[in-house]
Amino acid sequence: MSKTKRIYLDHTAGRFTDSRVIEVMLPFMKLLYGNPSSIHSFGQETRQAVEDARIKIAELISAERKETIFFTSGATESNNIAIKGVADRNKDRGTHIITSSIEHMSVLNPCKFLMTNGFKVTFLPVDKYGFVNLERLKEELTDDTILVSIMYANGEIGTIQPIKAISQIVHTKNAYLHVDATAANGQVPLDVKGEGIDLLTLSSNDMYGPKGVGALYIKKGTRIKPLVHGGGQERGLRSGTENLPGMVGFGKAAEIAKKELLTENKRLKNLRDKLIKGILDPISHSFLNGHPTKRLPNNVAVRYDFIEGESILLSLDMMGVAASSGSACTTKTLEPSHVLREMGLKHEEAHGSLLFTLGKQNKEEEVEYVIDIMPNIVKRLRVMSPLTPKELKE
Amino acid sequence: MYSEKVMDHFKNPRNMGEIPDADGIGTVGNPVCGDMMEVYIKVKDKCIVDIKFKTFGCGAAIATSSMVTELAKGKTLEEAKKITRANVAESLGGLPKIKMHCSNLAADALHHAIEDYYKKQKIEEAK
């Protein structure tokens, strides 16, 4: 084993910034520093750059016009504005919100916060693949429902929700549909008009843009209130002096994603399916988390019986491979991932979960290396485990 | 996040395995919590002459199991009973705070194994 080998397969946790993105950002850290709100030429040139970036993001998601795109500090803020901003502005119409039980914490926790402020929240269950129960959505939706928030895809299990079908149900009532596309953006084509989305959360880093910037698409006419009050930037929805390099970089990332998405999507799917097959077929008592085909092109979520996720991660790290786990031992709460539990996995099954997320710099030989080392890692830990049945140890 | 010592015991666990004719066996934790350990001891003249472990769990769980077997091997039962969770963590150069409770169960497993030995001895004597 080579000590210097380093393979990064944890792209859901963080991505590098594309060098073409860094290129366009640099002038905005050196030469172009005017405040986009200023009337002089320094301000006007940066204003133009912000608006160009806005156009590129609008184009990526087929938004009707650039004015529907609002820059934020990232997906967490976008989710907070979408949920709390819509709830506050529409409480005269209703106080009921629906979401799913496998959303990201930046959706679940704002919803829980609203529950302490007079709102009622329904957390929809999911099936064993992680698909939201649409029948339950129909049942729970009432005239009191003002917002439904469902993620486009789940980064931990890869499952892609049937957003168009969800939108059709939601719009039988007078409710808005918010979609958190953090895990999906830059990976699958997004079409807010075609899919009937009222609010969409986007993350820059998840499409190889810089960290610390995100966006919220808000369909024209949507009733929403700001959370941050100040100088009225972003048309009053999100005050604060513009993060110029971040916005410009995000715009470039969106432009690249739009151009390269389909080719990269196909390449990643091949690598994904090779890795899934390669680390499941030769190892008994191993399973795929999530759906085999309706999943993100970069997502490989698996689990192994009788062993624990963190010890698998440490073993991989010793071999130079960076991955992630749904195990309790890698979290701050000591509880296994809520996503895996909601899909019906038992605690002990969730503990043995492992997540690889591919990215555009990953090569086929890196996937082959992981396929190569995985059986021995699992075997070593199973030999140590008192849970492993005798026949497996020989 | 882990000390070098912890990683060393994780990579090369000492005394891993089972003792088929063990004089005492101690089990702690359960798979639901994500940590489970078994400690086997062989006793001669009130001394632990052999000790082995099996562990399901995170890196800390495996390293503490390995360390406790190293600390207890060759000790008298009275000495081994005095080995604490804190001793194990200290010998490993410390553990992350969050792991101190959940994964530092190895000393308990050792104590259970010693109790199990005493229990079995009493039954033997009664025969």
Side-chain angles (χ1 to χ4, degrees):
Chain A
M1 134 191 145
S2 144
K3 267 270 166 204
T4 53
K5 201 181 257 308
R6 287 186 87 210
I7 299 176
Y8 189 76
L9 294 168
D10 196 14
H11 288 85
T12 291
R15 288 172 197 256
F16 64 93
T17 304
D18 190 299
S19 55
R20 291 167 289 180
V21 168
I22 297 172
E23 269 320 295
V24 301
M25 287 172 72
L26 283 175
F28 292 90
M29 290 188 263
K30 288 178 177 169
L31 308 166
L32 303 163
Y33 45 79
N35 189 320
S37 302
S38 302
I39 197 157
H40 47 61
S41 64
F42 290 80
Q44 289 313 298
E45 57 199 11
T46 54
R47 167 56 58 199
Q48 193 53 49
V50 168
E51 296 316 311
D52 287 348
R54 209 184 295 279
I55 290 170
K56 285 167 188 165
I57 294 162
E59 282 171 355
L60 177 69
I61 61 168
S62 303
E64 58 274 29
R65 51 209 281 267
K66 75 175 170 66
E67 285 75 19
T68 55
I69 305 295
F70 295 83
F71 284 108
T72 66
S73 65
T76 289
E77 190 187 0
S78 298
N79 285 340
N80 270 270
I81 297 174
I83 293 163
K84 293 190 279 194
V86 165
D88 194 27
R89 179 67 180 83
N90 294 277
K91 62 186 175 211
D92 55 330
R93 284 177 26 202
T95 52
H96 181 227
I97 294 165
I98 299 175
T99 187
S100 88
S101 53
I102 61 161
E103 297 298 309
H104 189 261
M105 287 304 166
S106 58
V107 167
L108 292 179
N109 285 338
C111 285
K112 286 177 188 164
F113 167 79
L114 288 173
M115 288 167 80
T116 65
N117 279 270
F119 290 87
K120 300 179 294 288
V121 181
T122 304
F123 299 91
L124 294 175
V126 297
D127 67 11
K128 62 174 179 172
Y129 294 117
F131 290 119
V132 171
N133 187 321
L134 299 188
E135 286 312 307
R136 278 294 297 281
L137 173 60
K138 283 181 203 163
E139 287 165 27
E140 298 289 344
L141 199 68
T142 69
D143 293 328
D144 191 44
T145 311
I146 48 175
L147 178 70
V148 177
S149 179
I150 305 286
M151 63 195 347
Y152 201 96
N154 185 293
E156 216 173 299
I157 52 170
T159 303
I160 300 173
Q161 301 295 339
I163 291 297
K164 197 165 179 176
I166 290 170
S167 159
Q168 280 161 354
I169 296 168
V170 171
H171 293 132
T172 59
K173 295 281 179 191
N174 204 11
Y176 293 121
L177 174 63
H178 166 243
V179 173
D180 173 9
T182 306
N185 66 194
Q187 285 208 60
V188 290
L190 297 172
D191 179 353
V192 286
K193 274 186 293 172
E195 292 178 282
I197 296 167
D198 300 309
L199 301 105
L200 183 85
T201 289
L202 295 166
S203 159
S204 157
N205 187 232
D206 286 84
M207 52 176 99
Y208 304 98
K211 293 178 171 73
V213 60
L216 180 63
Y217 159 84
I218 307 174
K219 188 179 167 183
K220 191 172 185 279
T222 303
R223 300 169 87 209
I224 190 163
K225 263 190 179 175
L227 304 185
V228 175
H229 300 90
Q233 287 88 346
E234 294 302 295
R235 308 212 337 279
L237 189 79
R238 204 276 186 181
S239 287
T241 300
E242 289 83 351
N243 168 9
L244 260 176
M247 291 170 179
V248 170
F250 187 8
K252 184 68 183 176
E255 181 195 320
I256 295 170
K258 188 175 167 64
K259 220 179 296 167
E260 298 177 357
L261 188 146
L262 290 177
T263 346
E264 179 61 5
N265 184 319
K266 212 172 137 193
R267 190 188 77 91
L268 284 178
K269 267 187 189 162
N270 282 332
L271 286 186
R272 174 194 75 187
D273 293 339
K274 180 173 182 154
L275 184 54
I276 289 175
K277 199 172 151 42
I279 60 173
L280 291 185
D281 284 1
I283 301 171
S284 70
H285 297 80
S286 64
F287 309 90
L288 180 71
N289 288 339
H291 194 271
T293 55
K294 288 172 184 158
R295 69 187 300 130
L296 290 173
N298 79 330
N299 184 288
V300 177
V302 297
R303 65 179 198 274
Y304 298 102
D305 282 349
F306 321 123
I307 57 178
E308 194 274 332
E310 192 211 75
S311 51
I312 309 175
L313 287 189
L314 286 175
S315 308
L316 282 165
D317 191 45
M318 278 156 47
M319 306 291 280
V321 179
S324 187
S325 159
S327 149
C329 281
T330 58
T331 65
K332 292 186 186 77
T333 55
L334 295 183
E335 268 296 306
S337 143
H338 69 284
V339 176
L340 301 175
R341 294 281 295 126
E342 288 296 335
M343 286 162 66
L345 291 189
K346 296 186 197 129
H347 270 87
E348 53 270 42
E349 291 171 326
H351 282 306
S353 286
L354 180 64
L355 173 64
F356 296 106
T357 40
L358 298 152
K360 62 181 172 187
Q361 91 287 22
N362 289 133
K363 303 268 184 299
E364 190 158 8
E365 53 261 36
E366 294 181 319
V367 163
E368 283 162 359
Y369 175 76
V370 175
I371 292 171
D372 237 33
I373 63 173
M374 209 60 216
N376 277 333
I377 288 174
V378 173
K379 194 174 161 199
R380 186 182 95 97
L381 294 172
R382 280 186 176 167
V383 166
M384 273 194 243
S385 170
L387 303 175
T388 312
K390 281 237 159 9
E391 64 270 18
L392 268 185
K393 293 181 184 173
E394 272 118 42
Chain B
M1 127 184 186
Y2 286 131
S3 70
E4 254 175 63
K5 209 93 190 242
V6 170
M7 285 310 292
D8 176 40
H9 278 263
F10 175 74
K11 280 182 209 170
N12 310 297
R14 290 31 154 197
N15 307 304
M16 197 274 296
E18 283 169 49
I19 301 176
D21 58 340
D23 297 321
I25 301 173
T27 305
V28 290
N30 66 65
V32 177
C33 300
D35 284 309
M36 184 182 166
M37 299 168 192
E38 283 176 7
V39 167
Y40 305 79
I41 54 171
K42 196 83 194 144
V43 179
K44 206 177 169 189
D45 302 330
K46 290 181 180 166
C47 264
I48 296 177
V49 291
D50 198 10
I51 179 165
K52 292 221 184 297
F53 80 89
K54 295 241 100 160
T55 292
F56 161 82
C58 64
I62 290 170
T64 51
S65 310
S66 167
M67 181 48 90
V68 91
T69 63
E70 209 167 55
L71 291 176
K73 201 168 185 174
K75 295 260 167 42
T76 67
L77 292 172
E78 284 314 302
E79 285 167 341
K81 270 161 75 178
K82 288 180 193 143
I83 296 171
T84 64
R85 290 180 177 201
N87 296 145
V88 177
E90 208 178 299
S91 310
L92 283 167
L95 284 175
K97 205 171 175 191
I98 196 158
K99 302 282 185 185
M100 284 301 280
H101 292 289
C102 74
S103 310
N104 193 6
L105 302 171
D108 301 13
L110 171 66
H111 301 158
H112 285 279
I114 295 169
E115 275 161 37
D116 184 50
Y117 165 76
Y118 282 138
K119 216 185 302 168
K120 281 180 179 153
Q121 280 304 106
K122 273 190 198 132
I123 295 167
E124 283 293 312
E125 279 162 22
K127 277 183 190 168

